[in-house]
Amino acid sequence: MPEPRQARSRTAARAPAQEQAPEPPARAPGKAAAAGLALAALGVAAAWGVHRALPAVPMLTAAVVLGVGAAHLPGVRGLVRGTGRPGLALAAKRLMRLGIVLLGLKLSLHDVLGLGWGTVAMVLAVVAATLLGTWWLGRRLGLPGDQPLLIATGYAICGASAIGAVSEVRDSDEEDVAASVALVTLCGTLAIAVLPLLQHPLGLSDAQFGGWVGAGVHDVGQVVATAQAAGPGALGDAVLVKLMRVMLLAPLVAGTALAVRRRGGARNATGGPAGARRPPLVPLFVLGFLAMAALRDTGRLPGAVVEAGGAAQEVLLAAALFALGSAVHLPSLVRTGARVAALGLGAWLVIAAASYAGVLLTA
C-alpha cells in the first residue's frame, strides 16, 4: 500500500512560494470555524429537505452533492474556499469521527451472527475480493495518492464512513478523500436505480436479493433505499448483511494503522524524520465505535436512545459529507475522469459479481 502523506492540498503544494498570499492574522479557533460550521449546518438542513421531498434519495447522498454544488456556485464558493474552510475542515474530520462512533449503535452483534457462518464466510470473501481487486486496479490505472486505497475501502466496507476512518490513520490528502467520497457516493446512488431492475433477470428471490444488496452496496442508507424495492423481508436481510460488513471497519482501520506504524519505524531506522507521528494501533474513534456496538448488544439501552443516536449519527455524517463534498474540485476531478470512471465501473463489477456468487453459494 502507498506510504502515508500529510493531509494537505496538492493544489496548495504546487503553488510557487512567491504567489502565496500573506497569512491573515490568527483568530481564535472557535471564531475561525464558526462560518464553516454554520455553512455545514445549512447543508444538512438542505439535504434533509431534499430527502423529505425525494425519499428515494438518502440524506447523506444529498449532502455530498450539495457540498460539491456549494464549492462551485458563484457567490458561495468564495465563502466555501475562504472564510468557511476552517470550519468545513473541522466538520469533515471531527464530526466524521463522532458519526462513526454513533454508527456502532446500529450494530446488533447477536442478530448479525445469527445469519450463520456461511454468510459470514461469504461477506469476508466479498470484502477481501473487493478491497484487493479495487486497490490493484486503481494502481494499474495510475490514480494518484491514496485514491486507490480509499476507493477500495469505500466499496468494500461502508462507503464514505470507511473512507473517512481510513483517511484519518493514513493522513490522506484532502483532495484524495473528496474525490473518493464523490465516486463511491455516485456509484452507490446509481445502485438504487439499477439493482432492483436486475433482480428477476438474475433469478434472485427476495431473500437472495436482500443478501446481494447488503453484500454489494456501499452505504447503509443506500442499502435501505435499494433493498426496500423487494419488500420488508429483503430489507431486513440486506441490513443485517450490510452491518456484518460494517463490523469489519475496526479490524481494517487497525490493520491500516499497523502498516503506517511499521513504515514509519522503517523510515526512522533508515534516517527518516525522528519525530514522525505514529498513529495509534486502534484509534480512539474506532474504540468508541466498538463500545457503542457492545453497549447496544447489552439490550439495556432504551429504544428511544438508540433512535436518537441513529438520528444524531446521520446528522453528523451529513455535515461531514457536505464538508467533504465542498472540497471536491471538479476541474481536477475531470483531469482524471476517465481513469476514475474506469475504476468505479471495475470495482462495481467486482463487488456485484462476488456478492452475487456468494449469495447463490450460500442460499
Side-chain angles (χ1 to χ4, degrees):
M1 291 184 181
E3 292 190 0
R5 299 169 299 130
Q6 292 299 317
R8 56 188 179 87
S9 168
R10 278 193 294 270
T11 303
R14 287 194 299 263
Q18 63 269 24
E19 294 181 7
Q20 293 180 355
E23 293 187 2
R27 291 188 293 170
K31 291 183 178 179
L37 290 175
L39 192 58
L42 290 174
V44 171
W48 179 82
V50 170
H51 175 63
R52 291 283 293 179
L54 301 169
V57 179
M59 191 169 88
L60 300 187
T61 300
V64 175
V65 174
L66 289 169
V68 175
H72 297 83
L73 187 66
V76 180
R77 63 188 176 194
L79 175 61
V80 168
R81 297 174 185 173
T83 309
R85 195 71 249 156
L88 290 169
L90 179 67
K93 188 170 185 177
R94 304 298 181 186
L95 299 188
M96 176 69 77
R97 289 179 179 179
L98 291 174
I100 292 171
V101 169
L102 292 179
L103 182 62
L105 287 176
K106 291 189 174 180
L107 283 175
S108 173
L109 305 183
H110 176 75
D111 290 343
V112 170
L113 294 178
L115 290 171
W117 290 109
T119 303
V120 172
M122 181 268 286
V123 169
L124 290 173
V126 169
V127 167
T130 304
L131 189 64
L132 296 176
T134 304
W135 177 74
W136 176 84
L137 181 59
R139 280 295 174 220
R140 293 283 293 179
L141 290 170
L143 289 184
D146 282 349
Q147 285 187 31
L149 174 62
L150 296 178
I151 292 169
T153 300
Y155 269 85
I157 305 295
C158 54
S161 301
I163 292 173
V166 171
S167 68
E168 285 290 323
V169 297
R170 291 284 305 174
D171 252 351
S172 299
D173 189 289
E174 187 181 60
E175 291 180 16
D176 289 342
V177 179
S180 301
V181 167
L183 176 65
V184 171
T185 299
L186 172 63
C187 292
T189 302
L190 291 175
I192 298 172
V194 173
L195 295 193
L197 301 177
L198 299 177
Q199 177 184 357
H200 297 300
L202 292 176
L204 295 174
S205 67
D206 289 349
Q208 289 174 325
F209 178 72
W212 185 45
V213 170
V217 179
H218 321 320
D219 180 77
V220 175
Q222 293 163 349
V223 167
V224 171
T226 306
Q228 66 186 358
L235 178 58
D237 288 343
V239 170
L240 287 177
V241 172
K242 175 61 190 175
L243 292 182
M244 188 179 294
R245 286 169 62 198
V246 174
M247 288 173 60
L248 299 177
L249 177 62
L252 175 64
V253 172
T256 303
L258 180 60
V260 171
R261 288 169 65 93
R262 285 179 174 174
R263 286 197 175 96
R267 284 199 304 272
N268 290 341
T270 56
R277 184 179 69 87
R278 300 179 69 193
L281 185 57
V282 182
L284 186 60
F285 69 90
V286 174
L287 291 176
F289 166 82
L290 294 173
M292 290 297 102
L295 185 60
R296 162 73 184 271
D297 230 34
T298 62
R300 296 182 178 179
L301 283 180
V305 172
V306 174
E307 289 182 9
Q313 174 254 333
E314 191 164 15
V315 168
L316 290 169
L317 287 184
L321 292 179
F322 176 87
L324 282 174
S326 72
V328 172
H329 186 237
L330 289 180
S332 299
L333 196 58
V334 168
R335 283 195 288 270
T336 57
R339 288 176 292 162
V340 170
L343 178 58
L345 178 60
W348 204 4
L349 292 175
V350 168
I351 194 169
S355 56
Y356 177 68
V359 165
L360 293 183
L361 290 173
T362 57

